[in-house]
Each structure stands twice: as structure tokens, then as C-alpha cells.
Amino acid sequence: MSTRLNNLVDVTEDIAREHGLTDDEYKMIVGHLGRTPNMTELGVFSVMWSEHCSYKSSRKWLKKLPTEGPQVIQGPGENAGVIDIGDGDTAIFKMESHNHPSFIEPYQGAATGVGGIMRDVFTMGARPVANLNALRFGEPSHPKTRHLVAGVVSGIGGYGNCIGVPTVGGEVNFDASYNGNILVNAMCVGTARADKIFYAAATGIGSPVVYVGAKTGRDGIHGATMASAEFDDASQEKRPTVQVGDPFTEKLLLEACQELMASDAIIGIQDMGAAGLTSSSVEMADKGGVGIFIDLDKVPCRETAMSGYEMLLSESQERMLMVLKPGREAEAEKIFHRWGLDFAVIGELTDGHRMVVHHQGEEIADMPLTHLADGAPEYDRPHVATPKRPEFDASNVTHPAIADSLKSLMGNSEIASRRWIWEQYDSMVMGDTLVGPGGDAALVRVHGTQKALAMSTDVTPRYCFADPIEGGKQAVAEAYRNISATGATPLAITNCLNFGNPERPEIMGQFVGCLDGMGQACLALDFPVVSGNVSLYNETNGTGILPTPAIGGVGVIADYNNAIGSGFTQADAHVFVIGASHGALGCSLYQRHVLQDEAIVAPPAVDLQAERAHGEFVRATIAAGAVSAAHDVSDGGLLVALSEMAMRHGIGVSSQQQGDSAYWFGEDQGRYIVQVSADQLAGFTTAAQAAGVNVNEIGKTGGDELTIDATLTISIAELTRINQDWFPDLMSGKTA
Amino acid sequence: MKATINITLKSGVLDPQGKAIENALGQLNFSGVNSVRQGKLIEIDLSETDAAKAEASLTAMCEQLLANTVIENYDIQLDKSE
Amino acid sequence: MKATINITLKSGVLDPQGKAIENALGQLNFSGVNSVRQGKLIEIDLSETDAAKAEASLTAMCEQLLANTVIENYDIQLDKSE
Amino acid sequence: MQAAVIVFPGSNCDRDVAVCLEAATGTPPLMAWHGDASLPDCDLIVLPGGFSYGDYLRCGSMAANSPIMREVVAQAHKGAAVLGICNGFQILTECGLLPGVLMQNTGLNFVCRDTRLTVSNAQNAFTHLYQQDEEIIIPVAHNEGNYFADESTLASLQEHQQIAFTYGAGDNPNGASLDIAGITDKSGKILGMMPHPERRAEAALGGEDGKRLFTGIVESLA
Ligand SMILES: Nc1ncnc2c1ncn2[C@@H]1O[C@H](COP(=O)(O)OP(=O)(O)O)[C@@H](O)[C@H]1O
Ligand SMILES: [Mg+2]
């Protein structure tokens, strides 16, 4: 293939099509250039105009998301979002997909996904302090699932563990719609001082453009275009474009960048992610309103005889582009060499808003930057709204015994403990993990302070499929709830919007609906979007995935000593449900997995006012010391949530509450279960009345069983066994 | 019948292991090391005595499990001495 | 001069990876697999053209860095064809 | 008392252990760079956890050959106390300061979780603040923690009370021989252990069982 990727080949419309450009897009490019592009220029335009880089199908809708608030220092538009967490500290975070590469080569795909998102964060001056991952796999019984789970998990661990950033949370779902199209979304959160944040914009005509990090090889050429193209069975052919990650080099790059960032030598810095050298140089120069000249002969290469096209489009990992203040090259070079990394001045900023590239003494590309960066057409793709679904029909349903339903849910793919996964992640390195995987939100202390960050990733794809608007709201609300349950204040979110083919109106309708719901929730909850990523064309042979707009929420608590956990901590405490329980079984796990009813019906509605009121109440009562454990009620409803709280520290709970299956397994939104010790009871109920919040005492902690009078008694040990065994059994081939 | 399978990275695929060994050898003052690549060696003892059948079966093993053909090549050597 | 170094676990040293491959092959219905051992393969390209000198230098590399002789054996093969 | 933490490229628990050393001694330890050929005289040298040089060949093998390790070995021979945690333990075996080798976990996966440890020898320079056979909880986080040595080495370790920590019954995370989690040299001044005491030295992080190891060695050296 490489023989064709140079300027000796004349560009034709066919070649443009092979690059994923439509005929109209190609005509626009010819128009912008005033001539036919050469092969290198075509390659550059095609990646910059790919869905992945240009957001051409999604931009119109992303613009509608709320992105502002007093806590927002940097919203979408930079490598990652930045929020104020007080005292001059900031949290910098983003989530990104690596779906297609992970399907093709799960270990390397997932590993490089983690590496890429960490670079987005440390590029901005942050030290990464936590990683999370949102994963979706096909059915557990699908022949590829085990292999993909094993590879993805060890790839995420392999990268994060080595670089020494704790992986503290995430989520996993299994569904047939992901059989041919898994989702691997990685989130990274870092911290930096507010006066030490670095941006991508490059300014200062004549300033040197510097390449640092690993050498360039032929890795992942056309990766960006591939991520924007649907899979078909022949896509196995694209395999050699897989990138291999080198976490050791990334660790060195991180430390070297931090060292240089302590000085004031850097004007702008940008990681080389999708579309490598091309997108980083285009973005830096365009944001700074300057031009850029690059001499590819200076680029450190790992392989011989690379063409200019290949160098510009290579997606070799662990590389960064910087613009330095003139005269500071030597000091920077010394740092990078000390860390054993390549350092090369490969060009300079120019006047005129163009990108000019030389290779082997010849000019091989000369393109207008505006058209490269923002010139891709913005599509308003046709979209049809997802039809409203009927309510769940409870008549004619035979409910199994509640005890049996509970056991079946606790050992279900969606609820079973994810310990098999998170024990492969170093969740404690850096010595600040207060709450790692297994709780609601993870809590990571801001090093050397009393503050802690709370982080969670959430979305319920089956809700989004049935009702994109409610599903979009619910994803944001659940992140808000998880963070609130620790006592932390939710501050802002990032997202990773995974959808099928946007050229199909019903998929575009899902996208538009989910964004509508998300936007409403962000506004109502003061929980703006500060960064994100879109992954479209998640389809195999025309079957799309469930719409999966993953939300990564971040919050802060001023004193981590006031944070609480999700498990019962004492006997004889009162257990309350906050929020009303109407028994909403539509789209519940109970409907799907216990009743085995696949009917697409309305998911639970999200009352954003109640979400906010309940979240504020939970946080206030935690801060007042009235609530000593809290857990949100989500998948599986009340009884699953109670079981989870009991299993955490092996403390049982008994209830006199009378309820049917709908009561115990309904997934009504906006609810929490909290533990209130006897001496806090009066204060708690008074606070609830004052706040006008619906609270309902349902039992007391103690013993080593889960008991509901006249309904069931199950030992916590048995629940734990059922809950713990599913994943190891799946992975060892015992089940499935 | 015994077989040895050599699994090596395809050319062009980044080999952080090999690179690291190369650097370490340099630090230990071994000069004249132009390049190092690291791969895997798998020794299998099979009941099969027919070379052609053994080879076919080993090829299937490589394709399905032993090699990651996305980034690796494999080479099968049968020890026919037995 | 090119050399290939095979690094294998000493007999008697447990090889969990080999064992895991053996089990996985069983699960994939490959029968007649008596045993599997996994080792490392290191390919080195040296400037040295004298075989004896190359071999001496490679032996030193193995002893000092490449193999852990508590648990591993190494075997050096020089590609003398060049 | 002078403590130093050796920082290899790829070390990632260097800061974590420095925090514990500072808490135990009152002063920040010296952070020594792997490429330095000299090291000021130290009473305690710590080899931290992480993935030195990427751990790409065998864990700890490249670090064991780095310039600074010649200094560490020399000072150890002169009587400095040396603590190797996780990757540091791997480096100590690779450079010959401790016997045996750490092989891949029998489960073939990286494992990060709390483990129950038994203090098998509460007499040495590091462990004297624990009770003999006390059960403590310290987390592990490694892919190669499966301690292996030949029969005679294992017998000799037992004979000379060199086994400092063992995993509690049924809680061996990696298949280590004799459930070994940590060993010392014959003098008891060189300790290598897979579990991370620095991750359990503060109530907010789940417990303080690891703290006595640091205060213990500092007391011994005072
Ligand atoms: N769904 C989204 N919501 C908000 N911002 C988004 C979304 N998707 C992308 N963005 C923003 O668009 C910018 C470009 O994103 P992306 O191309 O993923 O970054 P990168 O160049 O690092 O890969 C980023 O600032 C990102 O935060
Ligand atoms: Mg970026």
C-alpha cells in the first residue's frame, strides 16, 4: 500500500472516494486549493475532514449543549476541559473512544486508547490522577466476547498500571448490539494549578515547532478515517494499521513534559492523537491564527523510506508537538534527552494562514489552514425522532418469587461484580485513592490537600434506545447521583457519544434525542459539559449499537473526611429511601432478564427538579453528619441496591416493608438509599420535612442476612457468592 | 512429535521490548548492536506422528490462538528427528 | 551478523503461561497436545562479522542481561549465511 | 538518618514511598536518579515499585544493571539497609542482593487487591514493631510476584529466618512458593517484598498496617 501514498500518484475522484471523501467534499477541496490536490494534500484533507476529526455530522447538535458555569475554566474546544476546584486548583478531564481499534486488536486498541486520553490531559499541564473506562461488549455467550473482554481489560491495565496512574472506576454492559462493535471509552482526570494550564494555540511568527517523544513509524495510517467508516466483514484486511502502545515511553514523556512545563518555555503544546502530526500542527496553527512550515526531513523516523504522506498521517503513539519561545530550544532539548526521548525542531510558525510542508527538499503540500481546520462541511443530517413507546404492560405477567428474582439479578451480566476486571487495574498507585472501584463514584484525594475528586461514568443504553431524550437525561442524572452519594458536589461532565451510522435518519434521531435530554439535564443540574468526543458509524453489516452516550462526571468535596461510602457501616441504623417508588418496570433489568421480556417500552421518566432536590438533600445531610452511607438506586431497583449496600462490608439489613416485584425491582429515577444512625434520626427526618423531600424508612441494618418480612431471607454470604462468581465463571469458560 | 513455533512481530510494528533491550545493551557497553527484536518461542509436544498432519494442526493453532496475526508472524519448525 | 537467542525455562521450573496455552488449546478442541512451554526469542543484529567474537559477546549479553540463569537456559544461534 | 529513594525511569511508587519516609523520619528522602554513578552515603535505600525501564525483558532486569545499582550494592555490602517494594524486590533478586526470582503470577493476570499477610519474622530491622505471626493487611499490585527459588534456597531461607512475610492461608495472589510475600538477606537489613506497605500507612487509605514497617526501620537505624 505504501507505494501509492506519495505525490507520484495523481489524485483522481476514485482515490478521493477511497479516502472516504464524497464527490462534493472533493469538489470543495479542489475549490479551496484552486487546483487538484496532490496525494499528500488529499491525505491531509481526508483525515481533517473525517467524521472523527471534523465532527461534521454532530457539530450542529454539540453546539447546543450547556458548556458554561462559574466553575468552568475551559469548556469544549481544547484537548480537555478544565474546571475550578477551589484554592487555585483545577481538574482537567476528558473521555474518548477507541472502539474500532479495540475490536480489531483488543489489547493494543484499549491500551492506546488509555495512552491517548492521558496525553490529552497532560498536554494541558495536568498530572493525570485517575483513569476510568466505560466498556460495552456483545452477549456473554458470543464466541468473541471472552477474548475481547480479556484483551481490552489487560490492555487498559497494561497501560495504566505501567504509567502509574490509578484506574479507579468505570462501567461495563453486555448486549447483543455490541457483538460486532464493542465500545471502549477511556476517561482521564488530571489536576493542575490554575496558573499552570497549557493550551494548544501557537503564536509568534518564527517560533520553533518542536517534535518530542517517540519516533514515527507507519502505525495506524488512516486510523482516523477507519474510525469513521462502518465495519464490514472484510475490514479484517485493515489490520496492519493497528498501533502498538509503549506506556514506558509515555511515562517518560509525561515526566519530561511536566519538567519543561515548570519553566515558561512553552507557547503552545498539543498531543499527536488521531491524524498525528497533521491534526496537531493544523490545530495549533489555526488556533493561534498563524501559518506553519514543517520540514519532514527533521522528523525522527523509526522506519526507512517513509513518504511525506505517511509521516503526516502516521498515528504512532507517545508523541507531542510544541511551539517554544525562540531561544529556549536547548534547555528543552536537554530535558527530553535526559528522559531518553527524541527532540527535534521540525519547523516554524509563519505568517499567512497556510500549512506548508517540505520533504527531501521539495514542497509536498501547501494548503489553507482555515479550510483544513474548520472547512469541513457541517451536515444537518436528516433525523427522525424515535417513536414514543407504550408503557410497560403489567397485566398478564407472572412474577417469579422475589427471592428467585433477586438471585437471578445479582448473578446477571449487568449487575454481577466487576471485580474480575478491576483487580487487574492498579487502583491505588499515587497513594491518594480514597475509594476505588466497587463503590458509587470513585474518590481520589487532590495530592497534599484535604480535597477529593469524585468521578463516575454512566449511561443506560437500553433506556437511550427506548427513549433517547429520557435516556440522555438519565445518563447525566445518574452521574450526578453517583457523585452526590459520596457527599461531593457534582461540577461538570465530559462525554463520549457512541452511535451508529448518522446517515440513517433513525440513528441521527437517536443522537439528536440523546443530546436534547443530556442538555436539559446539564442545565437543570448545573452540570455543564466541558469536553467530549463523538464516535459514529458503530455498525456492523448495517446493525447499529444501542445509542450509548457515556457520561463522565466529576465533582469535588472540600474535606474528604466528610465523604461517605456506599456500604452499611453499622448495625441498628435506620435505612431510608429518598425519592418516590412507583414500581417502574419499563426497560428495567427485571423486565429484560427476569421476565425475559424484550418488548421495547417506555423507560422510567427522569424528573430533573426532583433529581436536583434529592441530590442537594443527600449532600446536605451527609455534610451535616446525618447520613453515614448512601447508594443510588439504579439497575435492578431497590432490592439490588440494598443488597449491594449490605455486601460491601458484610452487614445485613431487615425490612418490614411490604412490596411486590414492581416495588422491589422497579427502576424509578432520582432515588437513593441512605443509612441514618439512631442518634441522627430526628435531625434527618426534620431536614427531610424542611426540604420537602420524600423519604421513607424501609428497614434497619444488622445481622448477616437480607430479610424482608414474610418475603425472603438470604444470607449476605450467598448474595455475595452469586454476585462474585459470574464474571470469573464467564472468563474461565464455565458459563456462557 | 515436537515442534517449535517462533512468533515475531511483523516488520514495521513497534517493538518496545526490543528497543528497551537495545538501549540496555548499550548502557552495558556492548557496542555494535544494530537492532534487537523480541518475540516468543513456543515448544509443543504433540502425539501426532504424521508431519503433514502435525503441521496442519499447528498452523490452525497459530491462527486461532498462538499468534496475534494482526501484528505477528509465526514460523513452525517440526523436529522430525523423532 | 544476525543471531537468534532462544531463552527457555529450565525443566522443573513451572511455566504457567505454557500451561495456560495447553488448556486453551484443549478448550479449542485441539487434541493430542502433550505439553506446551513458552519462552522468549531475541533477534539481534550485530556489526561484528567474526563468528567466534560474536558468539562470545552474545554469551556475555545472555549472562549479564538477557537470561536469568536461576530459571532460564539460553541457546545462541548465529546466522552465518551473511 | 539519611534515606534515599532510587528513581528509575518507569518507577511509579517513588513519590508514594517518599511520603511515608518523610512521615517516619521528619525529612524528605533524597530522590536519587538512576543514571547517577554516585550516591551519598545512606542509612536506608529504597527501591520503589513501578515498571523500571518498562520491565520489558524481565521485571527488574534492566534496573539491576543500571549505574546506580552498583552504588546500591556497594552500600548494602557496607551495611546500609535496603528496602525493595514490588518492582524493587524484583530488582533486588535480579542484582543478587536477595536470592530467587519473581515469576509471572500463576493466574497470568495483573492483580491489585488487599492481601492478608502473616509476619513470619518480627525480629528483623524492618519488622520488629510487629508481633510474631501477626496478621496484617497490605495490598499487592503486580503481574510478576510469584516467588520462585530452588529447594535448597527455600530451605536455607527457612533455616535462617529470612522469610519476613507470607500470604495468609488461601490468600496467595500469585502462586509464590511457601506463600512467600517478602524475604530478607541473612542480616535482616535487606528486605524485598511484593506487597506495598506504603499504600496502607494512613487511615484514610484504608489502614495503617504498613506504617510500622517504616517507623520500625527508622527506629532500628536511629
Ligand atoms: N460530545 C462532545 N461534547 C462536547 N465537546 C466535545 C464533544 N465531542 C468533542 N468535543 C470537543 O471537541 C474537541 C475536539 O475533540 P477531539 O477531536 O476528540 O479531540 P482530540 O483532537 O484530542 O482527539 C475537544 O475539545 C472536545 O472536548
Ligand atoms: Mg487532543
Side-chain angles (χ1 to χ4, degrees):
Chain A
M1 133 173 145
S2 54
T3 51
R4 293 186 55 216
L5 299 178
N6 61 45
N7 285 356
L8 299 176
V9 174
D10 286 330
V11 168
T12 62
E13 286 191 6
D14 279 341
I15 293 181
R17 271 183 227 120
E18 281 174 38
H19 279 72
L21 293 164
T22 66
D23 291 356
D24 284 342
E25 288 169 347
Y26 177 64
K27 278 194 200 109
M28 286 172 73
I29 293 168
V30 173
H32 291 322
L33 287 174
R35 58 180 165 81
T36 304
N38 63 37
M39 195 65 178
T40 305
E41 291 164 340
L42 181 76
V44 168
F45 264 101
S46 74
V47 291
M48 291 307 298
W49 284 22
S50 69
E51 190 65 58
H52 185 84
C53 288
S54 74
Y55 292 87
K56 55 193 171 191
S57 302
S58 58
R59 221 184 308 157
K60 171 182 158 95
W61 303 99
L62 293 177
K63 285 184 201 148
K64 298 181 193 259
L65 291 172
T67 60
E68 285 170 6
Q71 71 274 46
V72 178
I73 294 176
Q74 174 65 55
E78 275 287 337
N79 285 301
V82 183
I83 58 171
D84 185 350
I85 56 170
D87 315 309
D89 292 317
T90 69
I92 302 188
F93 59 97
K94 184 172 175 201
M95 176 151 48
E96 201 158 66
S97 66
H98 233 213
N99 303 339
H100 297 245
S102 301
F103 184 74
I104 292 171
E105 211 309 281
Y107 183 97
Q108 295 297 346
T112 51
V114 172
I117 194 63
M118 280 197 275
R119 280 194 300 285
D120 269 336
V121 165
F122 74 74
T123 259
M124 299 204 63
R127 180 167 281 278
V129 298
N131 284 326
L132 295 94
N133 52 93
L135 311 177
R136 321 282 156 187
F137 297 104
E139 294 159 293
S141 59
H142 188 274
K144 276 207 161 119
T145 297
R146 268 170 60 194
H147 163 74
L148 291 168
V149 172
V152 164
V153 169
S154 67
I156 291 172
Y159 209 101
N161 298 348
C162 179
I163 197 166
V165 173
T167 301
V168 297
E171 56 175 342
V172 188
N173 291 130
F174 295 87
D175 185 275
S177 72
Y178 307 111
N179 280 351
N181 221 302
I182 62 171
L183 303 183
V184 175
N185 297 171
M187 171 171 171
C188 179
V189 183
T191 56
R193 296 290 296 167
D195 56 1
K196 281 304 241 180
I197 295 170
F198 290 80
Y199 296 98
T203 54
I205 309 298
S207 300
V209 175
V210 172
Y211 170 117
V212 295
K215 289 181 167 41
T216 298
R218 291 190 173 89
D219 313 86
I221 291 172
H222 269 176
T225 336
M226 175 177 89
S228 308
E230 252 180 77
F231 267 52
D232 57 52
D233 292 329
S235 63
Q236 306 280 333
E237 294 305 313
K238 291 173 183 162
R239 283 178 160 194
T241 64
V242 164
Q243 307 118 279
V244 170
D246 178 0
F248 174 57
T249 297
E250 177 123 319
K251 167 77 174 162
L252 304 181
L253 188 60
L254 163 64
E255 298 302 338
C257 285
Q258 294 256 315
E259 202 173 317
L260 182 60
M261 284 166 166
S263 78
D264 65 347
I266 299 175
I267 295 174
I269 177 164
Q270 162 82 35
D271 66 295
M272 293 192 220
L277 189 51
T278 292
S279 71
S280 52
S281 48
V282 168
E283 280 170 30
M284 288 184 83
D286 183 59
K287 282 185 178 144
V290 294
I292 190 164
F293 166 77
I294 288 182
D295 181 357
L296 291 175
D297 296 328
K298 306 271 171 57
V299 170
C301 286
R302 192 175 83 226
E303 294 180 63
T304 51
M306 288 184 68
S307 71
Y309 178 110
E310 290 172 322
M311 282 190 229
L312 283 170
L313 269 58
S314 160
E315 293 192 352
S316 290
Q317 302 289 297
E318 293 95 21
R319 303 178 301 161
M320 291 268 194
L321 199 65
M322 307 186 298
V323 171
L324 296 180
K325 290 183 182 162
R328 306 297 290 272
E329 297 90 326
E331 108 188 47
E333 179 168 16
K334 209 172 136 207
I335 292 174
F336 283 87
H337 283 172
R338 190 172 102 95
W339 286 99
L341 296 165
D342 271 295
F343 176 101
V345 177
I346 62 164
E348 63 177 32
L349 300 185
T350 56
D351 55 5
H353 202 50
R354 298 184 77 80
M355 174 172 179
V356 177
V357 183
H358 282 194
H359 186 216
Q360 296 173 340
E362 278 178 41
E363 180 175 299
I364 60 162
D366 176 1
M367 300 159 289
L369 278 169
T370 319
H371 296 126
L372 276 178
D374 290 321
E378 175 176 305
Y379 292 123
D380 183 1
R381 300 212 186 266
H383 50 96
V384 297
T386 304
K388 279 287 167 205
R389 314 290 184 177
E391 293 297 320
F392 174 72
D393 180 3
S395 57
N396 300 325
V397 173
T398 325
H399 295 281
I402 288 178
D404 293 337
S405 300
L406 176 62
K407 287 182 199 167
S408 135
L409 285 171
M410 295 310 287
N412 173 269
S413 66
E414 305 307 287
I415 289 180
S417 167
R418 272 67 177 120
R419 177 184 298 272
W420 185 91
I421 292 182
W422 44 257
E423 277 190 355
Q424 295 186 51
Y425 301 150
D426 189 337
S427 54
M428 309 171 189
V429 62
M430 295 184 88
D432 285 310
T433 303
L434 304 168
V435 179
D440 280 332
L443 275 181
V444 173
R445 177 169 57 190
V446 179
H447 192 69
T449 75
Q450 286 297 107
K451 277 185 299 222
L453 295 171
M455 294 154 281
S456 174
T457 70
D458 297 280
V459 60
T460 310
R462 63 181 188 278
Y463 295 170
C464 295
F465 181 73
D467 185 339
I469 298 177
E470 290 305 308
K473 284 188 206 166
Q474 195 274 342
V476 177
E478 189 170 342
Y480 180 86
R481 243 179 267 151
N482 278 321
I483 291 167
S484 296
T486 67
T489 308
L491 290 177
I493 64 170
T494 182
N495 62 54
C496 192
L497 308 175
N498 308 276
F499 289 81
N501 181 349
E503 292 161 40
R504 294 204 286 134
E506 62 277 21
I507 300 285
M508 205 55 211
Q510 293 173 345
F511 185 83
V512 172
C514 284
L515 263 78
D516 179 1
M518 273 174 56
Q520 290 183 39
C522 291
L523 265 187
L525 302 174
D526 270 342
F527 206 23
V529 177
V530 296
S531 59
N533 171 251
V534 179
S535 172
L536 301 175
Y537 297 95
N538 290 290
E539 299 213 359
T540 305
N541 299 330
T543 313
I545 57 162
L546 295 181
T548 312
I551 301 297
V554 175
V556 74
I557 186 161
D559 182 349
Y560 62 79
N561 292 309
N562 297 333
I564 60 166
S566 67
F568 295 132
T569 56
Q570 57 180 182
D572 298 321
H574 300 261
V575 177
F576 283 86
V577 180
I578 296 173
S581 305
H582 300 295
L585 286 183
C587 287
S588 65
L589 284 186
Y590 182 82
Q591 181 205 350
R592 294 291 153 86
H593 294 275
V594 178
L595 301 180
Q596 312 261 330
D597 170 7
E598 298 286 322
I600 310 301
V601 297
V606 180
D607 174 347
L608 293 169
Q609 258 51 59
E611 283 291 349
R612 184 172 178 141
H614 299 173
E616 285 171 351
F617 174 71
V618 167
R619 299 196 302 270
T621 48
I622 292 171
V627 163
S628 44
H631 185 33
D632 72 310
V633 180
S634 57
D635 280 349
L638 279 180
L639 206 48
V640 166
L642 273 178
S643 303
E644 287 170 345
M645 295 183 81
M647 290 189 305
R648 188 98 169 132
H649 306 299
I651 295 177
V653 57
S654 58
S655 173
Q656 289 79 49
Q657 182 75 35
Q658 293 308 306
D660 56 8
S661 293
Y663 175 78
W664 288 115
F665 301 115
E667 295 180 4
D668 304 77
Q669 296 297 297
R671 294 183 300 164
Y672 300 77
I673 301 180
V674 297
Q675 167 187 285
V676 178
S677 60
D679 59 341
Q680 297 292 338
L681 184 60
F684 177 80
T685 42
T686 312
Q689 271 161 10
V693 168
N694 176 336
V695 302
N696 180 20
E697 180 163 1
I698 58 162
K700 280 228 175 146
T701 60
D704 52 10
E705 290 172 336
L706 170 72
T707 308
I708 298 172
D709 279 1
T711 305
L712 60 81
T713 299
I714 305 179
S715 75
I716 303 306
E718 184 182 359
L719 285 174
T720 305
R721 187 186 51 72
I722 294 171
N723 191 240
Q724 293 289 339
D725 282 353
W726 183 85
F727 226 112
D729 284 353
L730 171 74
M731 297 310 293
S732 67
K734 264 203 216 161
T735 49
Chain B
M1 173 163 270
K2 289 196 170 141
T4 304
I5 302 172
N6 287 347
I7 299 176
T8 50
L9 282 173
K10 290 187 176 168
S11 71
V13 174
L14 181 70
D15 176 13
Q17 283 93 336
K19 201 81 212 148
I21 297 173
E22 201 176 308
N23 291 341
L25 289 173
Q27 279 196 9
L28 290 173
N29 295 322
F30 287 102
S31 56
V33 176
N34 300 328
S35 81
V36 180
R37 304 275 289 172
Q38 182 175 325
K40 267 183 264 180
L41 179 79
I42 297 179
E43 297 170 325
I44 302 196
D45 183 10
L46 291 175
S47 307
E48 184 60 65
T49 51
D50 178 275
K53 284 189 191 152
E55 180 129 13
S57 156
L58 290 163
T59 305
M61 291 179 197
C62 286
E63 289 287 335
Q64 286 179 48
L65 180 76
L66 303 178
N68 178 348
T69 51
V70 178
I71 50 176
E72 294 171 333
N73 291 323
Y74 58 88
D75 174 49
I76 299 169
Q77 287 155 22
L78 285 178
D79 178 359
K80 294 179 184 150
S81 62
E82 286 175 51
Chain C
M1 173 163 274
K2 288 196 172 142
T4 304
I5 301 173
N6 288 346
I7 299 177
T8 50
L9 284 174
K10 289 187 174 167
S11 67
V13 176
L14 192 73
D15 175 14
Q17 265 168 335
K19 207 79 216 148
I21 295 174
E22 210 175 300
N23 293 340
L25 288 173
Q27 285 193 5
L28 290 173
N29 295 324
F30 286 103
S31 56
V33 177
N34 302 326
S35 82
V36 180
R37 306 275 289 171
Q38 180 172 326
K40 276 180 236 169
L41 181 78
I42 299 178
E43 298 172 322
I44 302 195
D45 183 12
L46 291 176
S47 308
E48 184 60 65
T49 51
D50 178 272
K53 283 189 191 154
E55 180 128 14
S57 156
L58 291 164
T59 304
M61 289 177 196
C62 286
E63 289 287 333
Q64 279 182 55
L65 180 73
L66 302 179
N68 181 334
T69 50
V70 176
I71 47 168
E72 293 170 332
N73 292 322
Y74 59 87
D75 172 50
I76 298 169
Q77 287 155 23
L78 284 179
D79 179 359
K80 297 183 181 148
S81 63
E82 286 174 50
Chain D
M1 153 172 172
Q2 180 66 60
V5 177
I6 311 294
V7 184
F8 299 100
S11 291
N12 62 31
C13 302
D14 43 331
R15 186 186 78 181
D16 308 3
V17 80
V19 167
C20 292
L21 289 171
E22 182 169 353
T25 64
T27 42
L30 173 78
M31 305 302 280
W33 180 242
H34 73 110
D36 294 346
S38 69
L39 179 68
D41 280 340
C42 294
D43 306 295
L44 170 64
I45 301 172
V46 179
L47 307 178
F51 288 72
S52 52
Y53 300 87
D55 272 354
Y56 283 139
L57 177 64
R58 272 185 329 278
C59 296
S61 60
M62 295 185 198
N65 283 294
S66 66
I68 195 101
M69 282 309 293
R70 280 191 279 279
E71 266 302 298
V72 173
V73 171
Q75 293 205 18
H77 288 322
K78 283 193 292 183
V82 181
L83 169 62
I85 300 170
C86 197
N87 194 224
F89 186 12
Q90 295 160 344
I91 296 168
L92 288 176
T93 60
E94 280 284 339
C95 74
L97 282 176
L98 290 175
V101 49
L102 292 143
M103 298 182 56
Q104 189 177 27
N105 301 344
T106 43
L108 300 177
N109 285 332
F110 189 96
V111 55
C112 173
R113 64 170 170 87
D114 286 342
T115 52
R116 285 180 292 112
L117 298 185
T118 304
V119 183
S120 311
N121 176 352
Q123 308 289 318
N124 69 44
F126 292 90
T127 57
H128 63 96
L129 293 184
Y130 296 99
Q131 303 296 315
Q132 180 66 30
D133 297 326
E134 182 180 345
E135 267 221 353
I136 57 176
I137 293 181
I138 309 268
V140 294
H142 59 248
N143 194 45
E144 282 91 4
N146 174 1
Y147 185 79
F148 175 88
D150 59 32
E151 292 299 328
S152 66
T153 307
L154 291 175
S156 158
L157 287 173
Q158 287 176 309
E159 184 191 342
H160 297 96
Q161 274 86 50
Q162 286 172 251
I163 301 176
F165 299 104
T166 52
Y167 299 109
D171 207 18
N172 182 337
N174 51 39
S177 307
L178 305 179
D179 292 328
I180 286 173
I183 58 168
T184 65
D185 70 336
K186 287 202 178 95
S187 77
K189 285 191 82 176
I190 302 177
L191 169 65
M193 61 190 297
M194 289 314 298
H196 287 267
E198 79 280 15
R199 297 186 180 188
R200 270 275 172 158
E202 197 187 333
L205 301 179
E208 299 198 313
D209 281 349
K211 196 170 167 181
R212 276 176 286 164
L213 189 106
F214 297 101
T215 47
I217 184 65
V218 170
E219 265 182 34
S220 301
L221 297 173

